Amino acid sequence: MDDEARNRPTRPFKVPQPVRKDGAGGPDFGPRDVLRDLENPNMLVPPATDAGLLPNMRFSFSDTHMQLNQGGWSREITVRDLPIATTLAGVNMSLVPGGVRELHWHQQSEWAYMIWGGARITSVDAQGRNFIADVEKGDLWFFPAGLPHSIQALSEGCEFLLVFDDGSFSDLNTLSISDWFAHTPSDVLAANFGVPAETFEGRPDSQLYIFEDRVPGPLASAAVESPYGTIPLSFKHKLLAQEPLRTPGGSVRIVDSSNFPIARTIAAALVEIEPGAMREMHWHPNDDEWQYYLSGQGRMTVFGGNGTARTYDVRGGDVGYVPFAFGHYVQNTGTETLWFLEMFRSDRFADVSLNQWMALTPRDLVQANLNATPELMGALRKVKWPVVKYP
Ligand code: MN
Ligand code: MN
Protein backbone atom coordinates (compact mmCIF):
# COMPACT_ATOMS: atom_id res chain seq x y z
CA MET A 1 0.00 0.00 0.00
CA ASP A 2 1.50 3.38 -0.97
CA ASP A 3 1.51 6.38 1.36
CA GLU A 4 -1.37 8.04 -0.40
CA ALA A 5 -3.59 4.98 -0.04
CA ARG A 6 -2.55 4.50 3.59
CA ASN A 7 -3.48 8.07 4.45
CA ARG A 8 -6.81 8.02 2.66
CA PRO A 9 -9.63 7.68 5.17
CA THR A 10 -11.39 4.32 4.80
CA ARG A 11 -14.68 5.75 6.06
CA PRO A 12 -15.12 9.29 4.81
CA PHE A 13 -16.46 11.77 7.36
CA LYS A 14 -16.26 15.48 7.81
CA VAL A 15 -14.08 16.45 10.77
CA PRO A 16 -16.42 18.54 12.94
CA GLN A 17 -15.19 21.92 14.13
CA PRO A 18 -16.24 23.98 17.15
CA VAL A 19 -17.79 26.65 14.99
CA ARG A 20 -21.41 27.74 15.30
CA LYS A 21 -23.46 28.72 12.22
CA ASP A 22 -23.15 32.41 13.14
CA GLY A 23 -19.34 32.08 13.01
CA ALA A 24 -18.74 31.94 16.78
CA GLY A 25 -15.84 29.68 17.74
CA GLY A 26 -12.97 28.65 15.48
CA PRO A 27 -11.17 25.58 14.18
CA ASP A 28 -9.56 23.01 16.46
CA PHE A 29 -6.31 21.77 14.87
CA GLY A 30 -5.72 19.31 17.72
CA PRO A 31 -4.71 17.55 19.82
CA ARG A 32 -8.25 16.22 19.90
CA ASP A 33 -10.26 13.00 19.86
CA VAL A 34 -12.23 13.33 16.65
CA LEU A 35 -14.23 10.12 17.21
CA ARG A 36 -15.49 11.45 20.54
CA ASP A 37 -16.24 14.83 18.98
CA LEU A 38 -18.29 13.06 16.30
CA GLU A 39 -20.25 11.32 19.05
CA ASN A 40 -20.83 14.57 20.93
CA PRO A 41 -21.89 17.22 18.42
CA ASN A 42 -23.80 19.16 21.09
CA MET A 43 -20.77 19.31 23.36
CA LEU A 44 -18.53 20.53 20.55
CA VAL A 45 -21.09 23.09 19.39
CA PRO A 46 -23.60 23.63 22.18
CA PRO A 47 -26.96 25.22 21.41
CA ALA A 48 -26.57 29.01 21.74
CA THR A 49 -29.13 28.89 24.57
CA ASP A 50 -26.75 26.82 26.74
CA ALA A 51 -25.10 28.99 29.37
CA GLY A 52 -23.58 29.05 32.83
CA LEU A 53 -21.98 26.53 35.11
CA LEU A 54 -23.71 23.18 35.32
CA PRO A 55 -21.64 20.11 36.24
CA ASN A 56 -21.24 16.94 34.22
CA MET A 57 -24.49 14.96 34.17
CA ARG A 58 -23.57 12.11 31.84
CA PHE A 59 -21.14 9.22 32.01
CA SER A 60 -20.67 6.28 29.67
CA PHE A 61 -20.28 2.71 30.87
CA SER A 62 -17.59 2.53 28.16
CA ASP A 63 -15.42 4.77 30.36
CA THR A 64 -15.59 2.52 33.43
CA HIS A 65 -13.46 -0.26 34.88
CA MET A 66 -14.49 -3.73 33.66
CA GLN A 67 -14.46 -6.49 36.27
CA LEU A 68 -13.82 -9.68 34.27
CA ASN A 69 -14.38 -13.03 36.00
CA GLN A 70 -14.84 -16.62 34.84
CA GLY A 71 -18.63 -16.57 34.46
CA GLY A 72 -19.20 -12.96 33.46
CA TRP A 73 -18.36 -9.31 33.90
CA SER A 74 -19.57 -6.15 35.59
CA ARG A 75 -18.91 -2.43 35.53
CA GLU A 76 -20.44 0.36 37.55
CA ILE A 77 -21.16 4.08 37.56
CA THR A 78 -21.24 5.51 41.06
CA VAL A 79 -20.60 8.87 42.70
CA ARG A 80 -16.87 8.23 42.14
CA ASP A 81 -17.31 8.50 38.35
CA LEU A 82 -20.29 10.87 38.26
CA PRO A 83 -20.05 13.02 41.40
CA ILE A 84 -23.46 14.65 41.01
CA ALA A 85 -25.22 11.26 41.14
CA THR A 86 -25.57 10.96 44.92
CA THR A 87 -28.96 9.24 45.16
CA LEU A 88 -28.52 6.15 42.97
CA ALA A 89 -25.66 4.04 41.60
CA GLY A 90 -25.80 1.61 38.68
CA VAL A 91 -24.11 -1.63 37.70
CA ASN A 92 -24.14 -3.19 34.23
CA MET A 93 -23.55 -6.95 34.47
CA SER A 94 -23.46 -9.88 32.09
CA LEU A 95 -23.36 -13.57 32.98
CA VAL A 96 -22.43 -16.42 30.62
CA PRO A 97 -24.84 -19.41 30.50
CA GLY A 98 -24.87 -20.83 34.05
CA GLY A 99 -22.73 -17.91 35.36
CA VAL A 100 -23.56 -16.87 38.91
CA ARG A 101 -23.50 -13.58 40.82
CA GLU A 102 -22.87 -15.33 44.11
CA LEU A 103 -25.04 -15.44 47.24
CA HIS A 104 -24.62 -12.03 48.87
CA TRP A 105 -26.39 -9.11 50.52
CA HIS A 106 -25.88 -5.38 51.10
CA GLN A 107 -27.16 -2.36 52.98
CA GLN A 108 -28.84 -0.88 49.88
CA SER A 109 -31.97 -1.98 48.02
CA GLU A 110 -31.38 -3.46 44.55
CA TRP A 111 -33.62 -2.71 41.57
CA ALA A 112 -32.84 -4.44 38.27
CA TYR A 113 -33.88 -4.51 34.62
CA MET A 114 -33.11 -7.48 32.37
CA ILE A 115 -31.68 -6.19 29.08
CA TRP A 116 -31.42 -9.55 27.29
CA GLY A 117 -31.43 -13.24 28.13
CA GLY A 118 -32.75 -14.87 31.26
CA ALA A 119 -31.75 -15.55 34.86
CA ARG A 120 -32.93 -17.31 37.98
CA ILE A 121 -33.11 -15.09 41.06
CA THR A 122 -33.39 -16.25 44.67
CA SER A 123 -33.92 -14.57 48.02
CA VAL A 124 -34.95 -15.34 51.61
CA ASP A 125 -36.51 -12.90 54.08
CA ALA A 126 -36.21 -12.54 57.86
CA GLN A 127 -39.36 -14.64 58.39
CA GLY A 128 -37.76 -17.62 56.64
CA ARG A 129 -39.89 -17.26 53.52
CA ASN A 130 -38.19 -17.72 50.16
CA PHE A 131 -38.47 -16.41 46.60
CA ILE A 132 -37.17 -18.31 43.57
CA ALA A 133 -38.15 -17.09 40.10
CA ASP A 134 -36.96 -16.83 36.51
CA VAL A 135 -36.72 -13.42 34.83
CA GLU A 136 -36.47 -12.62 31.13
CA LYS A 137 -35.92 -9.58 28.90
CA GLY A 138 -37.95 -6.60 30.10
CA ASP A 139 -38.54 -8.00 33.61
CA LEU A 140 -37.57 -6.21 36.81
CA TRP A 141 -36.59 -7.45 40.23
CA PHE A 142 -36.28 -5.70 43.56
CA PHE A 143 -34.37 -6.99 46.58
CA PRO A 144 -35.06 -4.97 49.74
CA ALA A 145 -31.98 -3.70 51.61
CA GLY A 146 -30.34 -6.33 53.80
CA LEU A 147 -32.01 -9.41 52.27
CA PRO A 148 -29.69 -12.09 50.80
CA HIS A 149 -30.01 -12.98 47.12
CA SER A 150 -28.37 -14.52 44.06
CA ILE A 151 -28.58 -14.29 40.26
CA GLN A 152 -27.75 -17.14 37.87
CA ALA A 153 -27.92 -16.97 34.08
CA LEU A 154 -30.09 -19.51 32.27
CA SER A 155 -29.21 -21.20 28.95
CA GLU A 156 -28.72 -18.04 26.83
CA GLY A 157 -26.73 -16.06 29.37
CA CYS A 158 -27.96 -12.57 30.19
CA GLU A 159 -27.15 -8.89 30.66
CA PHE A 160 -28.89 -6.59 33.10
CA LEU A 161 -28.78 -3.22 34.83
CA LEU A 162 -28.72 -3.04 38.63
CA VAL A 163 -29.65 0.19 40.41
CA PHE A 164 -28.95 0.82 44.11
CA ASP A 165 -30.51 3.52 46.30
CA ASP A 166 -27.17 5.05 47.32
CA GLY A 167 -24.82 6.86 44.92
CA SER A 168 -21.73 5.64 46.79
CA PHE A 169 -22.65 1.95 46.54
CA SER A 170 -20.17 -0.45 44.94
CA ASP A 171 -21.14 -3.97 43.85
CA LEU A 172 -17.52 -4.97 44.53
CA ASN A 173 -18.05 -4.07 48.19
CA THR A 174 -20.98 -6.22 49.31
CA LEU A 175 -21.30 -8.97 51.93
CA SER A 176 -20.68 -12.30 50.19
CA ILE A 177 -21.20 -15.83 51.47
CA SER A 178 -17.77 -16.98 50.17
CA ASP A 179 -16.07 -13.99 51.81
CA TRP A 180 -17.67 -14.73 55.18
CA PHE A 181 -16.71 -18.39 54.99
CA ALA A 182 -13.13 -17.40 54.04
CA HIS A 183 -12.90 -15.11 57.05
CA THR A 184 -14.36 -17.46 59.64
CA PRO A 185 -12.17 -20.07 61.42
CA SER A 186 -12.97 -23.69 60.49
CA ASP A 187 -13.75 -24.59 64.10
CA VAL A 188 -16.34 -21.81 64.28
CA LEU A 189 -17.92 -22.99 61.01
CA ALA A 190 -17.84 -26.54 62.44
CA ALA A 191 -19.61 -25.41 65.61
CA ASN A 192 -22.13 -23.36 63.63
CA PHE A 193 -23.14 -26.14 61.24
CA GLY A 194 -22.52 -29.17 63.49
CA VAL A 195 -20.06 -30.87 61.14
CA PRO A 196 -16.31 -31.64 61.44
CA ALA A 197 -13.86 -28.78 60.74
CA GLU A 198 -12.31 -30.71 57.80
CA THR A 199 -15.64 -30.23 55.97
CA PHE A 200 -14.50 -26.67 55.18
CA GLU A 201 -11.06 -27.42 53.71
CA GLY A 202 -12.31 -26.87 50.15
CA ARG A 203 -14.03 -23.58 50.79
CA PRO A 204 -13.11 -20.53 48.64
CA ASP A 205 -10.30 -18.47 50.21
CA SER A 206 -11.77 -15.12 49.13
CA GLN A 207 -14.88 -13.54 47.66
CA LEU A 208 -15.96 -15.26 44.42
CA TYR A 209 -18.23 -12.38 43.27
CA ILE A 210 -19.04 -13.97 39.87
CA PHE A 211 -18.29 -17.63 39.11
CA GLU A 212 -18.99 -20.24 36.46
CA ASP A 213 -21.49 -23.03 37.03
CA ARG A 214 -23.68 -25.40 35.03
CA VAL A 215 -26.89 -24.04 33.49
CA PRO A 216 -29.59 -24.74 36.07
CA GLY A 217 -32.49 -27.11 35.32
CA PRO A 218 -36.12 -26.06 34.93
CA LEU A 219 -37.62 -23.82 37.62
CA ALA A 220 -39.60 -26.71 39.12
CA SER A 221 -36.36 -28.60 39.75
CA ALA A 222 -35.03 -25.66 41.78
CA ALA A 223 -38.04 -25.49 44.11
CA VAL A 224 -37.25 -25.38 47.85
CA GLU A 225 -40.22 -25.59 50.18
CA SER A 226 -40.09 -23.38 53.26
CA PRO A 227 -42.17 -24.26 56.32
CA TYR A 228 -42.95 -20.53 56.45
CA GLY A 229 -44.12 -20.27 52.83
CA THR A 230 -43.03 -17.98 50.05
CA ILE A 231 -42.38 -14.24 50.22
CA PRO A 232 -45.86 -12.66 49.83
CA LEU A 233 -44.91 -9.56 47.82
CA SER A 234 -43.32 -10.58 44.55
CA PHE A 235 -39.71 -9.44 44.03
CA LYS A 236 -40.35 -9.62 40.24
CA HIS A 237 -42.36 -7.43 37.85
CA LYS A 238 -42.90 -7.76 34.09
CA LEU A 239 -42.31 -4.15 33.06
CA LEU A 240 -42.03 -4.56 29.29
CA ALA A 241 -45.24 -6.65 29.28
CA GLN A 242 -47.07 -3.81 31.06
CA GLU A 243 -49.54 -1.86 28.87
CA PRO A 244 -47.80 1.47 28.16
CA LEU A 245 -49.20 4.97 27.98
CA ARG A 246 -48.89 5.68 24.24
CA THR A 247 -48.69 9.20 22.83
CA PRO A 248 -47.68 10.56 19.42
CA GLY A 249 -43.93 9.93 19.27
CA GLY A 250 -43.54 7.14 21.76
CA SER A 251 -44.62 5.43 24.97
CA VAL A 252 -44.00 5.32 28.70
CA ARG A 253 -44.33 2.48 31.21
CA ILE A 254 -44.29 3.64 34.82
CA VAL A 255 -43.42 1.30 37.68
CA ASP A 256 -43.38 2.23 41.35
CA SER A 257 -44.84 0.97 44.63
CA SER A 258 -48.38 1.46 43.26
CA ASN A 259 -48.01 -1.44 40.77
CA PHE A 260 -44.86 -3.16 42.14
CA PRO A 261 -45.48 -2.88 45.89
CA ILE A 262 -42.14 -4.24 47.10
CA ALA A 263 -40.23 -1.46 45.25
CA ARG A 264 -40.62 1.05 48.06
CA THR A 265 -37.40 3.01 47.46
CA ILE A 266 -36.98 3.05 43.67
CA ALA A 267 -39.53 4.25 41.09
CA ALA A 268 -38.94 4.15 37.35
CA ALA A 269 -40.26 4.83 33.87
CA LEU A 270 -39.29 3.01 30.70
CA VAL A 271 -39.46 5.58 27.91
CA GLU A 272 -39.58 5.00 24.16
CA ILE A 273 -38.90 7.97 21.86
CA GLU A 274 -39.29 7.56 18.10
CA PRO A 275 -36.93 9.32 15.66
CA GLY A 276 -37.80 13.02 15.57
CA ALA A 277 -39.80 12.84 18.81
CA MET A 278 -38.92 14.10 22.29
CA ARG A 279 -39.54 13.44 25.98
CA GLU A 280 -41.45 16.64 26.68
CA MET A 281 -40.15 19.59 28.76
CA HIS A 282 -40.80 18.61 32.39
CA TRP A 283 -39.31 18.14 35.84
CA HIS A 284 -39.75 15.90 38.84
CA PRO A 285 -41.13 17.35 42.09
CA ASN A 286 -39.85 14.55 44.31
CA ASP A 287 -36.27 13.50 43.57
CA ASP A 288 -33.19 13.44 41.35
CA GLU A 289 -33.45 11.40 38.14
CA TRP A 290 -30.88 8.68 37.26
CA GLN A 291 -31.12 7.58 33.62
CA TYR A 292 -29.89 4.58 31.71
CA TYR A 293 -29.96 4.70 27.92
CA LEU A 294 -30.76 1.29 26.46
CA SER A 295 -30.52 2.03 22.71
CA GLY A 296 -30.51 4.78 20.13
CA GLN A 297 -29.05 8.24 20.41
CA GLY A 298 -30.27 11.62 21.50
CA ARG A 299 -29.53 14.74 23.43
CA MET A 300 -30.69 15.95 26.80
CA THR A 301 -30.75 19.57 27.89
CA VAL A 302 -30.98 20.39 31.59
CA PHE A 303 -32.16 23.82 32.80
CA GLY A 304 -30.83 24.71 36.26
CA GLY A 305 -32.43 28.13 36.81
CA ASN A 306 -30.65 31.48 37.04
CA GLY A 307 -29.75 31.46 33.35
CA THR A 308 -28.08 28.04 33.30
CA ALA A 309 -28.66 25.29 30.74
CA ARG A 310 -26.42 22.53 29.38
CA THR A 311 -26.84 19.92 26.67
CA TYR A 312 -25.45 16.38 26.81
CA ASP A 313 -25.29 13.94 23.90
CA VAL A 314 -26.54 10.51 24.97
CA ARG A 315 -26.58 7.04 23.45
CA GLY A 316 -27.13 3.42 24.43
CA GLY A 317 -24.84 2.55 27.35
CA ASP A 318 -24.83 6.03 28.87
CA VAL A 319 -26.02 7.12 32.28
CA GLY A 320 -27.60 10.57 32.64
CA TYR A 321 -28.54 12.48 35.76
CA VAL A 322 -30.90 15.37 36.48
CA PRO A 323 -30.97 17.06 39.91
CA PHE A 324 -34.29 17.33 41.74
CA ALA A 325 -36.69 19.85 40.11
CA PHE A 326 -34.31 20.90 37.29
CA GLY A 327 -36.20 21.30 33.98
CA HIS A 328 -35.18 18.94 31.17
CA TYR A 329 -36.13 17.26 27.91
CA VAL A 330 -34.65 14.46 25.80
CA GLN A 331 -34.72 14.50 21.99
CA ASN A 332 -34.15 11.54 19.72
CA THR A 333 -31.47 12.77 17.29
CA GLY A 334 -30.88 9.42 15.58
CA THR A 335 -32.61 7.19 13.05
CA GLU A 336 -33.64 4.41 15.44
CA THR A 337 -35.93 4.40 18.47
CA LEU A 338 -34.36 5.80 21.64
CA TRP A 339 -35.15 3.71 24.73
CA PHE A 340 -34.17 4.77 28.23
CA LEU A 341 -35.03 4.25 31.89
CA GLU A 342 -35.67 7.13 34.29
CA MET A 343 -35.20 6.16 37.93
CA PHE A 344 -35.85 7.90 41.23
CA ARG A 345 -35.06 7.14 44.85
CA SER A 346 -38.72 7.30 45.74
CA ASP A 347 -41.78 5.11 46.31
CA ARG A 348 -43.61 6.90 43.49
CA PHE A 349 -43.03 8.27 40.02
CA ALA A 350 -44.00 11.94 39.66
CA ASP A 351 -43.40 14.55 37.00
CA VAL A 352 -44.70 18.04 36.20
CA SER A 353 -45.36 18.79 32.53
CA LEU A 354 -44.56 22.34 31.41
CA ASN A 355 -47.33 22.14 28.82
CA GLN A 356 -49.96 20.83 31.25
CA TRP A 357 -48.98 23.40 33.91
CA MET A 358 -49.51 26.22 31.44
CA ALA A 359 -52.82 24.75 30.21
CA LEU A 360 -54.21 24.55 33.76
CA THR A 361 -53.21 28.12 34.74
CA PRO A 362 -55.40 31.18 34.00
CA ARG A 363 -54.91 31.98 30.35
CA ASP A 364 -54.44 35.73 30.71
CA LEU A 365 -51.69 35.20 33.25
CA VAL A 366 -49.76 32.72 31.06
CA GLN A 367 -50.30 34.90 27.99
CA ALA A 368 -48.95 38.00 29.74
CA ASN A 369 -46.03 36.19 31.37
CA LEU A 370 -44.65 34.90 28.06
CA ASN A 371 -46.15 37.40 25.63
CA ALA A 372 -47.63 34.23 24.18
CA THR A 373 -49.26 34.14 20.76
CA PRO A 374 -52.83 32.86 20.31
CA GLU A 375 -51.29 29.94 18.43
CA LEU A 376 -49.26 28.84 21.47
CA MET A 377 -52.22 29.37 23.83
CA GLY A 378 -54.38 27.24 21.52
CA ALA A 379 -51.84 24.40 21.46
CA LEU A 380 -51.67 23.90 25.24
CA ARG A 381 -52.83 20.48 26.47
CA LYS A 382 -54.58 19.72 29.76
CA VAL A 383 -53.63 16.06 29.35
CA LYS A 384 -50.03 15.01 29.90
CA TRP A 385 -48.14 13.61 26.92
CA PRO A 386 -44.77 12.43 28.26
CA VAL A 387 -43.44 11.92 24.71
CA VAL A 388 -44.42 14.29 21.91
CA LYS A 389 -44.02 14.50 18.16
CA TYR A 390 -45.76 17.02 15.95
CA PRO A 391 -46.06 16.89 12.18
MN1 MN B 1 -27.02 -7.58 45.04
MN1 MN C 1 -37.38 13.34 33.60
Side-chain angles (χ1 to χ4, degrees), residues 279-280 282-284 289 291 322 326 328-330 340 342 344 349 351:
R279 175 78 171 92
E280 68 162 349
H282 70 282
W283 68 92
H284 303 275
E289 172 174 338
Q291 305 168 334
V322 184
F326 280 22
H328 55 286
Y329 54 87
V330 178
F340 76 103
E342 322 181 341
F344 307 86
F349 176 89
D351 65 357

Side-chain angles (χ1 to χ4, degrees), residues 15-36:
V15 173
Q17 294 296 349
V19 180
R20 203 172 271 137
K21 284 200 179 75
D22 65 2
D28 180 355
F29 299 111
R32 60 184 295 197
D33 187 333
V34 174
L35 291 179
R36 290 185 92 108

